[in-house]
């Protein structure tokens, strides 16, 4: 079977990632004044205990938490407009989990989450997932999102963020990306040979980039630089799946 490394998991995440993302979001969410506080979060001051299975789980948990933070106002409005919040069965301690899971839910177009083998279920995640699913079945969440888009004249969820942040993200997505060569597993020469068999051509610098090109880092001889347009395609190579190349 072909092994792949993907940028996003549109089928959802294991329960542990939702829990870690909720704990992270709880610590970074925007606190609002009492007159504007329509959605309430836990006010426990202690630092959360995070347990990550591996580096990938850690990265995905933080990405999920910060994505929810970016759209916090919109997600709260969807919860209120749909009637999914407030709810006696969702205490303040689970509001962060509710928001994080709602962000992921709309990101995968309100499709059902896939089942992960050998993943121990987390009771709170299962409960919130089932609770949100009831509102999906009644199309209330999707309808609330549609009303928000009409209200703010937004073509997609990305248009709900401030223009300055949107422009920054556009610039970041266009930047070249770097990968480390894991010299414990493969040599520079073998990497170059493998890339050339896949049709990539070495150029002198990033200013010479075309689509299927790459360059050597000028300061680190075990680092390669690629155009942003190749990112998803390259991450599906066996070189990444085998950890012979590591995304910087």
């Amino acid at each position: 079977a072909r092994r792949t490394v993907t940028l996003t998991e549109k089928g959802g995440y294991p329960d542990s990632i939702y829990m870690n993302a909720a704990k992270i979001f709880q610590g970074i969410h925007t606190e609002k004044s009492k007159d504007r506080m329509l959605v309430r979060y836990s006010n426990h001051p202690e630092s959360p205990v995070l347990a990550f299975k591996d580096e990938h789980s850690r990265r995905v948990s933080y990405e999920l938490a910060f994505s929810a933070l970016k759209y916090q106002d919109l997600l709260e409005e969807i919860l209120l407009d749909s009637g999914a919040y407030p709810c006696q069965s969702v205490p303040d301690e689970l509001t962060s989990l509710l928001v994080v899971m709602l962000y992921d839910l709309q990101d995968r177009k309100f499709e059902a989450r896939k089942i992960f083998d050998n993943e121990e279920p987390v009771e709170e995640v299962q409960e919130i997932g089932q609770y949100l699913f009831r509102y999906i079945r009644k199309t209330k969440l999707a309808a609330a999102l549609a009303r928000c888009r009409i209200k703010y004249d937004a073509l997609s969820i990305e248009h709900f963020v401030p223009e300055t942040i949107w422009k920054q993200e556009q610039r970041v997505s266009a930047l070249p990306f770097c990968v480390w060569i894991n010299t414990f597993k493969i040599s520079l020469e073998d990497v170059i040979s493998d890339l050339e068999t896949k049709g990539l051509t070495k150029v002198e610098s990033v200013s010479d980039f075309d689509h299927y090109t790459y360059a050597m880092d000028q300061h680190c001889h075990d680092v390669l630089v690629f155009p942003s347009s190749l990112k998803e395609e390259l991450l599906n190579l066996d070189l990444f799946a085998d950890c012979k190349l590591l995304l910087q």
Side-chain angles (χ1 to χ4, degrees):
R2 180 173 176 76
R3 294 146 299 151
T4 61
V5 178
T6 56
L7 290 175
T8 57
E9 299 182 25
K10 294 299 183 181
Y13 303 98
D15 288 8
S16 59
I17 287 181
Y18 289 114
M19 283 303 300
N20 282 327
K23 292 175 181 178
I24 296 166
F25 179 80
Q26 172 62 35
I28 63 176
H29 76 274
T30 302
E31 294 281 358
K32 298 178 181 178
S33 58
K34 290 186 178 180
D35 60 318
R36 295 182 59 236
M37 190 184 297
L38 299 177
V39 176
R40 298 184 177 277
Y41 298 86
S42 172
N43 55 8
H44 293 321
E46 65 268 15
S47 299
V49 177
L50 302 175
F52 301 112
K53 184 173 66 173
D54 49 35
E55 176 61 23
H56 174 71
S57 297
R58 185 191 69 83
R59 179 175 60 82
V60 171
S61 298
Y62 274 96
E63 286 178 352
L64 184 54
F66 275 90
S67 293
L69 174 65
K70 186 166 61 174
Y71 297 106
Q72 179 181 335
D73 288 345
L74 171 63
L75 297 169
E76 290 178 354
E77 188 166 347
I78 292 173
L79 288 172
L80 293 166
D81 185 275
S82 66
Y85 185 93
C87 176
Q88 290 184 345
S89 64
V90 182
D92 292 352
E93 289 73 19
L94 293 181
T95 303
S96 290
L97 180 60
L98 181 67
V99 172
V100 164
M101 292 188 72
L102 176 59
Y103 169 78
D104 177 61
L105 192 56
Q106 66 76 35
D107 191 43
R108 60 178 195 269
K109 311 301 182 186
F110 299 102
E111 294 292 333
R113 183 161 63 106
K114 73 177 183 179
I115 304 300
F116 288 84
D117 296 332
N118 303 321
E119 175 68 21
E120 184 176 348
V122 178
E123 182 179 356
E124 295 89 340
V125 174
Q126 296 293 316
E127 290 176 356
I128 294 297
Q130 292 170 7
Y131 177 71
L132 287 172
F133 183 74
R134 292 202 298 269
Y135 281 83
I136 300 172
R137 192 167 50 195
K138 297 177 181 178
T139 69
K140 290 186 176 182
L141 292 172
L145 175 57
R147 285 191 291 271
C148 287
R149 288 175 55 185
I150 294 171
K151 178 179 177 180
Y152 297 105
D153 193 24
L155 295 175
S156 65
I157 187 174
E158 286 78 13
H159 290 80
F160 285 98
V161 299
E163 185 178 3
T164 53
I165 295 178
W166 183 80
K167 287 183 176 179
Q168 287 174 359
E169 291 181 339
Q170 291 297 106
R171 286 196 293 268
V172 168
S173 65
L175 290 175
F177 67 99
C178 300
V179 301
W180 291 93
I181 298 172
N182 184 354
T183 53
F184 289 103
K185 290 193 170 186
I186 194 170
S187 67
L188 168 63
E189 292 74 16
D190 287 341
V191 170
I192 291 176
S193 176
D194 194 303
L195 293 175
E196 288 179 348
T197 61
K198 292 176 173 57
L200 277 80
T201 304
K202 180 182 175 183
V203 295
E204 291 302 314
S205 69
V206 295
S207 60
D208 301 318
F209 273 170
D210 195 354
H211 182 51
Y212 281 97
T213 51
Y214 69 94
M216 300 289 300
D217 186 272
Q218 296 181 0
H219 304 288
C220 301
H221 298 301
D222 55 353
V223 173
L224 302 177
V225 188
F226 296 89
S228 60
S229 58
L230 281 177
K231 192 169 189 177
E232 187 164 2
E233 184 176 345
L234 286 181
L235 288 180
N236 283 316
L237 296 179
D238 286 342
L239 286 171
F240 283 91
D242 294 332
C243 296
K244 294 177 180 178
L245 292 182
L246 306 172
L247 181 64
Q248 171 60 42

